[in-house]
């Protein structure tokens, strides 16, 4: 083949490859997720365009240095790579759910890898045949493809609202300056679960002294399982009406109706530091992201671009290489600079800055609201509160370590306020938006041995964020209150403590029980990122909670694991299966929930149900070429119902087991246990070491109990 033609094929192929990787994919990812990127699309392109040009030039160099067989091989490799990347990026999409810090299981099984390998090999052979037979046609096709990619990316850029970014160049001094007369400091640690703080205090009695003047409210009900629906209620005390459009709810209760606006009207210098995704009240003096406070514009831009390129690579590479790009949530490019840029590290660093820079320099009362991510998954802190890019294990121990590190930084800030003489003049709140409520991270308040005592532990954990309050002038060891409070009480509490605002719904957490409104409501739903653009949240259910939130009797029957006959219990991603799932469960996917370990348990309140039952199960096994079957024993109240061998990896299988009447009547609860006799063992591993072994058995989609006639 003519060397000139080979070089032209190489040129257009190299161009297409890096246009897809560094322009098309980052642009489409940005446009689809504008709230997840701090910098503007223009700022990202100012880095990506020169970067793609550099890589194209580097890729072109061998075309003019090689000849003969080497040139032939390089041109074909460039052609195959560019077409492969284009196909994977545009047509082979992987639904991994929301990338919110929770661990992704990217072990697709040997069957998937084998099928992919055979498909790629056949594709390469067909492409090579076409390469030898119609090289000019391929050259022209790739050239046109590159032009389409470039024009479509340009169209996306043009139709995206123009901005030079949200990075603020305002003076940072207001963040650290306090008034000698009156201040409010609110630190929100995202996903900090109430029972985790109780465990920390139990393990370290010195915290009772370090939280000087604080009152801890364990029975604090959140508003919703996600930050997105919680923040408007936190800012204004408003209950969410399921008929209210989400945009209006934010505008009315954050942008216009926040207690921060009322304090600004009262003369306070108001600063909010946290994710802009959740709104900035219109009268704040300063509203910044944590990254903007601690890092330069250039550093933030490079970090965000690295994230876009990581996601581009994740989209473009074959399944077998996706885990290498993902790196257990550290991501390939971001992991290079992650030690200093991870949001957990940055949040703790901001508190460290307070410990060093807080000063008495404001002539006005000050209000500071810090929304930090130092207790949010993934759990990346080691026992010495150093960052680790490995071992991201979703466990209570790891969650507690990360929380302890955050609490240590917070109490150092308290000591600094004492040193500069404004501790008594500062009302302080340590709060969270939600608990975790994930997998095995559910609340331990219900179990005396430190383990959840019923299947609703995950639901209760997510509904129970931390709440500690220190009024102006308060001193003394940490107190614990049995008041039944809620996130919606925060605005009213602030107004009562400071005396600078009024009229917000809710009741101060320090109010007498007779003054407290009895009704607490929790809006439950399963979050999906696609909801960000919707007017309403699908599947939202509002549960009144009448008593202590960790007691089953406090929740309505709809939120309790009641055994119902003839009704399928669903385990899909959008289900409310956290109510009846106990230990042994892993990730929820579109159709069901995977087991993770040798045993997995669900349980139900039996109530008045008696007699024999038929247990119908729909499930799919984790099998593959070298693991052709999954053997599962099914138990009811520790009575073996039978063994089930599953072999179909392409579709769910169904089976019915008979539960004898004596087993049904043997306890107040009906506990169904799946014991995997041959779990599919895999590991989550990064460039350093194995962090966790996973044992995948089956994906439970549905089960149903039918009376035996």
């Amino acid at each position: 083949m003519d060397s000139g033609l080979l070089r032209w094929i190489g040129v257009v192929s190299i161009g297409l490859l890096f246009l897809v990787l560094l322009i098309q994919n980052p642009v489409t990812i940005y446009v689809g997720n504008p709230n997840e990127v701090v910098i503007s699309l223009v700022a990202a392109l100012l880095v990506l365009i020169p970067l793609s040009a550099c890589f194209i030039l580097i890729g072109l160099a061998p075309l003019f240095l090689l000849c003969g067989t080497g040139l032939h091989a390089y041109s074909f490799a460039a052609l195959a790579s560019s077409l492969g990347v284009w196909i994977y990026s545009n047509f082979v999409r992987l639904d991994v759910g929301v990338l919110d810090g929770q661990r992704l299981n990217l072990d697709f099984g040997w069957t998937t890898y084998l099928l992919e390998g055979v498909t790629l090999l056949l594709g390469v052979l067909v492409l090579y045949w076409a390469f030898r037979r119609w090289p000019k046609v391929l050259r022209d096709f790739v050239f046109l493809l590159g032009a389409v990619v470039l024009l479509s990316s340009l169209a996306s850029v043009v139709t995206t609202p123009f901005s030079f970014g949200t990075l603020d160049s305002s003076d940072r001094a207001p963040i650290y300056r306090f008034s000698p007369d009156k201040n409010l400091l609110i630190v929100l640690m995202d996903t900090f679960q109430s029972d985790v703080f109780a465990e920390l205090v139990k393990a370290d009695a010195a915290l009772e002294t370090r939280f000087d003047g604080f009152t801890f409210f364990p029975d604090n009900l959140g508003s919703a399982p996600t930050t997105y629906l919680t923040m408007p209620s936190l800012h204004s005390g408003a209950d969410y009406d399921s008929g209210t459009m989400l945009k209006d709810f934010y505008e009315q209760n954050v942008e216009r109706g926040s207690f921060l606006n009322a304090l600004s009207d009262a003369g306070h210098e108001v600063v909010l530091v946290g994710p802009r995704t959740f709104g900035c009240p219109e009268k704040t003096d300063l509203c910044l992201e944590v990254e903007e406070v601690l890092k330069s514009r250039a550093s933030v831009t490079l970090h965000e671009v690295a994230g876009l390129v990581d996601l581009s690579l994740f989209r473009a590479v074959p399944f077998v290489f996706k885990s290498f790009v993902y790196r257990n949530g550290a991501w390939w490019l971001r992991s290079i600079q992650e030690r200093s840029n991870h949001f957990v590290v940055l949040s703790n660093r901001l508190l460290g800055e307070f410990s060093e820079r807080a000063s008495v320099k404001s002539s006005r009362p000050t209000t500071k609201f810090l929304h930090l991510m130092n207790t949010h998954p993934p759990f990346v802190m080691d026992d010495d509160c150093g960052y680790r890019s490995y071992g991201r294990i979703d466990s209570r121990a790891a969650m507690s370590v990360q929380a302890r590190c955050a609490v240590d930084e917070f109490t150092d800030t308290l000591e600094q306020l004492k040193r500069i003489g404004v501790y008594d003049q500062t009302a302080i709140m340590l709060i969270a938006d939600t608990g975790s409520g994930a997998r095995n991270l559910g609340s331990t308040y219900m179990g005396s041995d430190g383990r959840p005592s019923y299947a609703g532990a995950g639901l209760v954990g997510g509904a129970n964020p931390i709440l500690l309050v220190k009024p102006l002038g308060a001193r003394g060891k940490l107190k614990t209150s049995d008041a039944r409070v809620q996130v919606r009480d925060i605005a009213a509490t602030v107004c009562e403590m400071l005396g600078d605002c009024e009229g917000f719904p809710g009741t101060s957490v320090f109010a007498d029980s007779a003054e407290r409104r009895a009704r607490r409501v929790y809006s439950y739903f399963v979050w999906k990122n696609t909801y960000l653009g919707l007017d309403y949240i699908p599947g939202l259910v509002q549960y009144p909670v009448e008593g202590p939130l960790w007691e089953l009797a406090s929740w309505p029957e709809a939120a309790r694991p009641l055994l119902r006959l003839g009704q399928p219990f669903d385990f899909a991603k959008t289900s409310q299966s956290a109510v009846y799932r106990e230990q042994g469960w892993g990730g929820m996917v579109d159709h069901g929930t995977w087991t993770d370990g040798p045993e997995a348990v669900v349980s139900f309140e039996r109530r008045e149900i008696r007699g024999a039952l038929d247990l119908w199960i729909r499930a799919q096994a984790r099998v593959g070429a070298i693991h052709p079957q999954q053997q599962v024993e099914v138990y009811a109240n520790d009575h073996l119902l039978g063994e089930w061998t599953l072999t179909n990896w392409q579709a769910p299988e169904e089976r019915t087991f008979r539960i004898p009447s004596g087993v049904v009547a043997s306890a107040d609860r009906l506990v169904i246990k799946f014991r995997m006799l041959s779990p599919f063992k895999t590991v989550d591993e990064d460039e350093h070491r194995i962090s966790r072994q996973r044992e995948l058995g089956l994906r439970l989609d549905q089960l149903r109990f039918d009376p035996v006639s």
Side-chain angles (χ1 to χ4, degrees):
M1 191 183 302
D2 178 68
S3 60
L5 180 57
L6 286 173
R7 289 190 174 95
W8 269 115
I9 293 174
V11 167
V12 295
S13 298
I14 294 294
L16 175 63
L17 175 65
F18 290 109
L19 279 176
V20 172
L21 284 177
L22 299 177
I23 302 296
Q24 182 195 43
N25 282 353
V27 167
T28 55
I29 291 167
Y30 184 103
V31 171
N33 303 273
N35 294 319
E36 304 300 320
V37 187
V38 174
I39 62 174
S40 70
L41 181 55
V42 172
L45 288 173
L46 288 176
V47 176
L48 289 168
I49 291 173
L51 185 66
S52 61
C54 288
F55 274 99
I56 288 173
L57 290 174
I58 293 171
L60 292 179
L63 293 173
F64 301 96
L65 297 175
L66 297 172
C67 58
T69 304
L71 177 61
H72 185 95
Y74 186 79
S75 295
F76 178 72
L79 175 67
S81 299
S82 64
L83 290 177
V85 163
W86 178 75
I87 291 171
Y88 268 92
S89 297
N90 290 278
F91 303 106
V92 186
R93 294 297 175 86
L94 176 66
D95 182 11
V96 296
V98 182
L99 296 174
D100 61 352
Q102 302 291 341
R103 181 192 300 275
L104 297 180
N105 175 31
L106 297 179
D107 184 350
F108 302 100
W110 285 103
T111 305
T112 300
Y113 298 140
L114 182 63
L115 180 63
E116 180 181 53
V118 171
T119 302
L120 289 175
L121 179 60
L122 291 175
V124 168
L125 292 175
V126 170
L127 181 63
Y128 187 70
W129 174 75
F131 175 71
R132 296 293 301 269
R133 189 176 180 88
W134 302 300
K136 292 182 179 179
V137 173
L138 281 177
R139 176 199 62 189
D140 296 341
F141 173 74
V142 173
F143 175 79
L144 290 174
L145 204 57
V148 170
V149 166
L150 186 60
L151 290 174
S152 64
S153 300
L154 181 61
S156 297
V157 173
V158 170
T159 55
T160 300
F162 182 82
S163 168
F164 279 110
T166 59
L167 294 176
D168 196 296
S169 58
S170 303
D171 180 19
R172 305 302 193 257
I175 299 171
Y176 305 107
R177 67 187 178 208
F178 287 78
S179 163
D181 302 315
K182 184 188 289 186
N183 306 281
L184 171 66
L185 173 62
I186 298 178
V187 177
L188 187 157
M189 295 185 180
D190 204 290
T191 323
F192 195 167
Q193 200 161 286
S194 179
D195 62 305
V196 176
F197 179 78
E199 292 174 354
L200 294 179
V201 174
K202 184 178 180 180
D204 183 5
L207 287 176
E208 293 183 352
T209 302
R210 299 192 75 183
F211 277 88
D212 188 5
F214 278 83
T215 300
F216 175 40
F217 296 88
D219 194 355
N220 177 42
L221 180 68
S223 296
T226 67
T227 309
Y228 186 60
L229 196 57
T230 297
M231 295 309 292
S233 297
L234 188 154
H235 275 274
S236 70
D239 284 318
Y240 177 67
D241 181 347
S242 58
T244 302
M245 293 179 63
L246 293 172
K247 181 180 178 181
D248 293 340
F249 191 50
Y250 259 82
E251 184 177 333
Q252 294 166 8
N253 297 292
V254 178
E255 295 173 21
R256 296 203 311 263
S258 171
F259 69 87
L260 297 179
N261 289 334
L263 293 177
S264 179
D265 289 338
H268 283 239
E269 180 181 65
V270 179
V271 173
L272 188 151
V273 179
R276 281 201 187 88
T277 305
F278 307 117
C280 286
E282 60 188 7
K283 296 182 180 180
T284 53
D285 294 277
L286 201 59
C287 185
L288 300 169
E289 300 259 355
V290 173
E291 288 184 331
E292 296 176 79
V293 175
L294 298 175
K295 297 164 61 178
S296 67
R297 180 184 291 269
S299 179
V300 173
T301 299
L302 290 176
H303 182 65
E304 293 295 297
V305 168
L308 289 171
V309 176
D310 274 328
L311 289 170
S312 172
L313 290 170
F314 185 77
R315 176 179 287 185
V317 300
F319 289 100
V320 71
F321 297 120
K322 290 188 187 296
S323 59
F324 173 80
V325 177
Y326 177 61
R327 296 206 171 195
N328 285 337
W331 297 98
W332 182 50
L333 288 176
R334 278 195 166 181
S335 63
I336 298 172
Q337 50 177 338
E338 192 78 321
R339 184 172 299 277
S340 61
N341 285 306
H342 195 280
F343 58 75
V344 172
V345 176
L346 289 174
S347 292
N348 282 335
R349 193 174 133 202
L350 180 62
L351 287 176
E353 291 285 311
F354 262 88
S355 301
E356 297 177 3
R357 298 178 58 180
S359 61
V360 188
K361 293 183 178 180
S362 178
S363 59
R364 301 160 54 191
T366 72
T367 291
K368 307 179 195 309
F369 189 114
L370 312 181
H371 185 157
L372 307 179
M373 307 297 286
N374 45 2
T375 48
H376 192 284
F379 305 125
V380 298
M381 307 304 287
D382 60 27
D383 290 339
D384 297 321
C385 294
Y387 172 80
R388 57 181 183 183
S389 60
Y390 59 88
R392 297 160 184 257
I393 302 174
D394 298 332
S395 70
R396 285 197 64 86
M399 180 167 66
S400 295
V401 166
Q402 191 148 302
R404 176 180 58 79
C405 296
V407 166
D408 286 346
E409 293 287 356
F410 178 77
T411 54
D412 286 346
T413 298
L414 300 182
E415 293 303 313
Q416 174 65 4
L417 296 183
K418 291 180 179 180
R419 284 192 293 269
I420 64 176
V422 297
Y423 192 77
D424 291 327
Q425 291 76 34
T426 306
I428 308 171
M429 305 179 80
L430 177 59
I431 65 176
D433 51 343
T434 70
S436 174
R439 299 184 184 178
N440 60 328
L441 308 180
S443 176
T444 60
Y445 279 147
M446 297 80 66
S448 59
D449 60 353
R451 297 185 61 178
S453 62
Y454 74 93
L459 174 69
V460 170
N464 190 203
I466 190 174
L467 177 60
L468 293 104
V469 185
K470 185 197 83 69
L472 296 170
R475 290 284 187 147
K477 280 190 174 183
L478 176 68
K479 300 176 183 177
T480 299
S481 171
D482 61 0
R484 296 170 188 169
V485 300
Q486 53 190 326
V487 163
R488 298 183 187 92
D489 292 331
I490 288 174
T493 303
V494 166
C495 291
E496 186 201 58
M497 288 194 301
L498 300 181
D500 291 336
C501 53
E502 61 182 3
F504 287 89
T507 310
S508 168
V509 296
F510 294 108
D512 294 336
S513 57
E515 300 176 24
R516 181 163 303 286
R517 69 177 186 179
R519 191 169 185 266
R520 296 191 294 173
V521 177
Y522 187 67
S523 299
Y524 182 76
F525 59 94
V526 178
W527 175 252
K528 299 181 76 172
N529 233 12
T530 53
Y531 294 171
L532 278 171
L534 300 183
D535 292 334
Y536 305 97
I537 295 178
L540 185 143
V541 181
Q542 293 187 307
Y543 297 137
V545 181
E546 303 297 340
L549 64 87
W550 48 78
E551 292 183 3
L552 268 177
S554 301
W555 294 80
E557 292 189 354
R560 293 161 60 183
L562 298 179
L563 181 61
R564 297 180 177 88
L565 301 183
Q567 173 183 315
F569 290 90
D570 192 14
F571 290 81
K573 184 187 296 184
T574 55
S575 72
Q576 300 175 25
S577 61
V579 175
Y580 32 87
R581 278 188 286 117
E582 291 193 7
Q583 72 269 16
W585 297 99
M588 299 176 71
V589 293
D590 287 341
H591 299 291
T593 302
W594 284 101
T595 61
D596 185 2
E599 295 182 352
V601 176
V602 295
S603 69
F604 306 86
E605 288 186 68
R606 181 173 61 85
R607 303 292 288 267
E608 302 300 321
I609 294 175
R610 293 180 174 84
L613 300 174
D614 280 336
L615 170 61
W616 171 83
I617 305 170
R618 179 196 297 271
Q620 186 169 332
R622 183 61 151 155
V623 295
I626 62 172
H627 196 89
Q629 66 181 22
Q630 184 65 247
Q631 293 177 289
V632 181
E633 289 180 342
V634 182
Y635 293 80
N637 290 353
D638 291 326
H639 174 81
L640 178 63
L641 302 179
E643 184 176 311
W644 188 8
T645 300
L646 298 96
T647 58
N648 192 341
W649 66 274
Q650 294 179 314
E653 300 178 52
E654 299 178 4
R655 178 77 182 271
T656 300
F657 295 90
R658 176 68 53 86
I659 307 177
S661 58
V663 174
V664 174
S666 64
D668 292 335
R669 302 182 66 77
L670 186 58
V671 179
I672 305 300
K673 179 170 63 179
F674 301 91
R675 176 175 291 169
M676 270 53 69
L677 302 182
S678 53
F680 188 103
K681 295 185 178 181
T682 183
V683 294
D684 289 328
E685 182 180 7
D686 64 10
E687 74 277 19
H688 295 287
R689 63 185 72 177
I690 293 173
S691 61
R692 184 187 180 196
Q693 177 171 285
R694 299 170 65 84
E695 299 182 12
L696 305 177
L698 57 82
R699 188 195 73 204
L700 181 60
D701 294 352
Q702 287 185 330
L703 55 80
R704 186 182 68 241
F705 298 93
D706 297 313
V708 177
S709 56

Coordinates of all heavy atoms in Angstrom, one line a residue, residues 63-95:
L63 N 4.1 8.6 12.2 CA 3.8 8.4 10.8 C 4.8 8.9 9.9 O 4.9 8.5 8.7 CB 2.5 9.2 10.6 CG 1.2 8.7 11.3 CD1 0.0 9.6 11.0 CD2 0.8 7.3 10.7
F64 N 5.7 9.9 10.4 CA 6.7 10.4 9.5 C 8.1 9.9 9.9 O 9.1 10.3 9.2 CB 6.7 11.9 9.6 CG 5.3 12.5 9.2 CD1 4.4 12.8 10.1 CD2 5.1 12.7 7.8 CE1 3.1 13.3 9.7 CE2 3.8 13.2 7.4 CZ 2.9 13.5 8.3
L65 N 8.1 9.1 10.9 CA 9.4 8.5 11.3 C 9.5 7.0 10.9 O 10.6 6.4 10.7 CB 9.6 8.5 12.8 CG 9.7 9.9 13.4 CD1 9.7 9.9 15.0 CD2 10.9 10.7 12.9
L66 N 8.3 6.4 10.7 CA 8.3 5.0 10.3 C 8.1 4.8 8.8 O 7.6 5.7 8.1 CB 7.1 4.3 11.1 CG 7.2 4.2 12.6 CD1 5.9 3.7 13.2 CD2 8.4 3.4 13.1
C67 N 8.4 3.6 8.4 CA 8.2 3.3 7.0 C 8.0 1.8 6.9 O 8.2 1.0 7.8 CB 9.4 3.7 6.1 SG 10.9 3.0 6.6
G68 N 7.5 1.3 5.7 CA 7.3 -0.1 5.5 C 6.3 -0.7 6.4 O 5.2 -0.2 6.7
T69 N 6.7 -1.9 7.0 CA 5.8 -2.6 7.8 C 5.4 -1.9 9.1 O 4.3 -1.9 9.6 CB 6.5 -4.0 8.2 OG1 6.8 -4.7 7.1 CG2 5.5 -4.8 9.1
G70 N 6.4 -1.1 9.6 CA 6.1 -0.3 10.8 C 5.0 0.7 10.6 O 4.1 0.9 11.4
L71 N 5.1 1.4 9.5 CA 4.1 2.4 9.1 C 2.7 1.8 8.9 O 1.7 2.3 9.3 CB 4.6 3.2 7.8 CG 3.6 4.2 7.3 CD1 3.3 5.3 8.3 CD2 4.1 4.8 6.0
H72 N 2.8 0.6 8.2 CA 1.5 -0.1 7.9 C 0.8 -0.5 9.3 O -0.4 -0.3 9.4 CB 1.9 -1.4 7.1 CG 0.7 -2.2 6.7 ND1 0.1 -2.0 5.5 CD2 0.0 -3.1 7.4 CE1 -1.0 -2.8 5.4 NE2 -1.0 -3.5 6.5
A73 N 1.6 -1.0 10.2 CA 1.1 -1.5 11.5 C 0.6 -0.3 12.3 O -0.5 -0.4 12.9 CB 2.1 -2.3 12.3
Y74 N 1.3 0.8 12.3 CA 0.9 2.0 13.1 C -0.3 2.6 12.6 O -1.2 3.0 13.3 CB 2.1 3.0 13.1 CG 1.8 4.1 14.1 CD1 2.0 4.0 15.5 CD2 1.4 5.4 13.6 CE1 1.7 5.0 16.3 CE2 1.1 6.4 14.5 CZ 1.3 6.2 15.8 OH 1.1 7.3 16.7
S75 N -0.4 2.7 11.3 CA -1.6 3.3 10.7 C -2.9 2.5 11.0 O -3.9 3.0 11.3 CB -1.5 3.4 9.2 OG -0.4 4.3 8.8
F76 N -2.7 1.1 10.9 CA -3.9 0.3 11.2 C -4.3 0.4 12.7 O -5.4 0.4 13.0 CB -3.6 -1.1 10.8 CG -4.8 -2.0 11.1 CD1 -6.0 -2.0 10.4 CD2 -4.7 -2.9 12.2 CE1 -7.0 -2.8 10.7 CE2 -5.8 -3.7 12.5 CZ -6.9 -3.7 11.8
A77 N -3.2 0.4 13.5 CA -3.5 0.5 15.0 C -4.2 1.8 15.3 O -5.2 1.8 16.1 CB -2.2 0.4 15.8
A78 N -3.8 2.9 14.6 CA -4.5 4.2 14.9 C -5.9 4.1 14.4 O -6.9 4.6 15.0 CB -3.7 5.3 14.1
L79 N -6.2 3.5 13.2 CA -7.5 3.4 12.7 C -8.4 2.5 13.6 O -9.5 2.9 13.9 CB -7.4 2.7 11.3 CG -8.8 2.4 10.6 CD1 -9.5 3.6 10.3 CD2 -8.5 1.5 9.4
A80 N -7.9 1.4 14.0 CA -8.7 0.5 14.9 C -9.0 1.2 16.2 O -10.1 1.1 16.7 CB -7.9 -0.8 15.1
S81 N -8.0 1.9 16.8 CA -8.2 2.5 18.1 C -9.2 3.6 18.0 O -10.1 3.8 18.8 CB -6.9 3.1 18.6 OG -5.9 2.1 18.8
S82 N -9.1 4.4 16.9 CA -10.1 5.6 16.8 C -11.5 5.1 16.6 O -12.4 5.6 17.2 CB -9.6 6.5 15.6 OG -9.7 5.8 14.4
L83 N -11.7 4.1 15.8 CA -13.0 3.6 15.5 C -13.6 2.9 16.8 O -14.8 3.0 17.1 CB -13.1 2.6 14.3 CG -12.9 3.3 13.0 CD1 -12.8 2.3 11.9 CD2 -14.0 4.3 12.7
G84 N -12.7 2.2 17.5 CA -13.1 1.5 18.7 C -13.6 2.5 19.8 O -14.6 2.4 20.4
V85 N -12.8 3.6 20.0 CA -13.1 4.6 20.9 C -14.4 5.3 20.5 O -15.3 5.6 21.4 CB -11.9 5.6 21.1 CG1 -12.4 6.9 21.7 CG2 -10.8 5.0 21.8
W86 N -14.6 5.6 19.3 CA -15.8 6.3 18.8 C -17.0 5.4 19.1 O -18.1 5.9 19.5 CB -15.7 6.6 17.3 CG -16.9 7.2 16.7 CD1 -17.4 8.5 16.9 CD2 -17.9 6.6 15.9 NE1 -18.6 8.7 16.3 CE2 -18.9 7.5 15.6 CE3 -18.0 5.3 15.4 CZ2 -20.0 7.2 14.8 CZ3 -19.1 5.0 14.6 CH2 -20.1 6.0 14.3
I87 N -16.9 4.1 18.8 CA -18.0 3.2 19.0 C -18.4 3.0 20.4 O -19.6 3.1 20.8 CB -17.7 1.8 18.3 CG1 -17.7 1.9 16.8 CG2 -18.8 0.8 18.8 CD1 -17.2 0.7 16.1
Y88 N -17.4 2.8 21.3 CA -17.6 2.7 22.7 C -18.2 3.9 23.3 O -19.1 3.9 24.2 CB -16.4 2.3 23.5 CG -16.2 0.8 23.6 CD1 -15.4 0.1 22.7 CD2 -16.7 0.1 24.7 CE1 -15.2 -1.3 22.8 CE2 -16.5 -1.3 24.8 CZ -15.8 -1.9 23.9 OH -15.6 -3.3 24.0
S89 N -17.7 5.1 22.9 CA -18.2 6.4 23.4 C -19.6 6.7 23.1 O -20.3 7.3 23.8 CB -17.3 7.5 23.0 OG -15.9 7.3 23.4
N90 N -20.0 6.3 21.9 CA -21.3 6.7 21.4 C -22.4 5.6 21.5 O -23.6 5.9 21.5 CB -21.2 7.2 19.9 CG -20.5 8.5 19.8 OD1 -21.0 9.5 20.0 ND2 -19.2 8.4 19.5
F91 N -22.0 4.3 21.5 CA -23.0 3.3 21.4 C -23.0 2.2 22.5 O -23.9 1.5 22.7 CB -22.9 2.6 20.0 CG -23.0 3.5 18.9 CD1 -21.9 3.8 18.1 CD2 -24.2 4.0 18.5 CE1 -22.0 4.7 17.0 CE2 -24.3 4.9 17.4 CZ -23.2 5.3 16.7
V92 N -21.8 2.1 23.2 CA -21.7 1.1 24.3 C -21.8 1.8 25.6 O -20.7 2.1 26.2 CB -20.4 0.3 24.1 CG1 -20.4 -0.9 25.1 CG2 -20.3 -0.3 22.7
R93 N -23.0 2.1 26.1 CA -23.1 2.8 27.3 C -23.3 1.9 28.5 O -24.0 0.9 28.4 CB -24.3 3.8 27.2 CG -24.1 4.9 26.2 CD -22.9 5.8 26.6 NE -22.6 6.8 25.5 CZ -23.2 8.0 25.4 NH1 -24.1 8.3 26.3 NH2 -22.9 8.8 24.5
L94 N -22.7 2.3 29.6 CA -22.8 1.5 30.8 C -23.5 2.3 31.9 O -23.1 3.3 32.3 CB -21.4 1.1 31.3 CG -21.3 0.4 32.7 CD1 -21.9 -1.0 32.5 CD2 -19.8 0.3 33.1
D95 N -24.7 1.8 32.4 CA -25.4 2.5 33.4 C -24.9 2.0 34.8 O -25.2 0.9 35.2 CB -26.9 2.1 33.3 CG -27.8 2.9 34.3 OD1 -27.2 3.8 35.0 OD2 -29.0 2.5 34.5

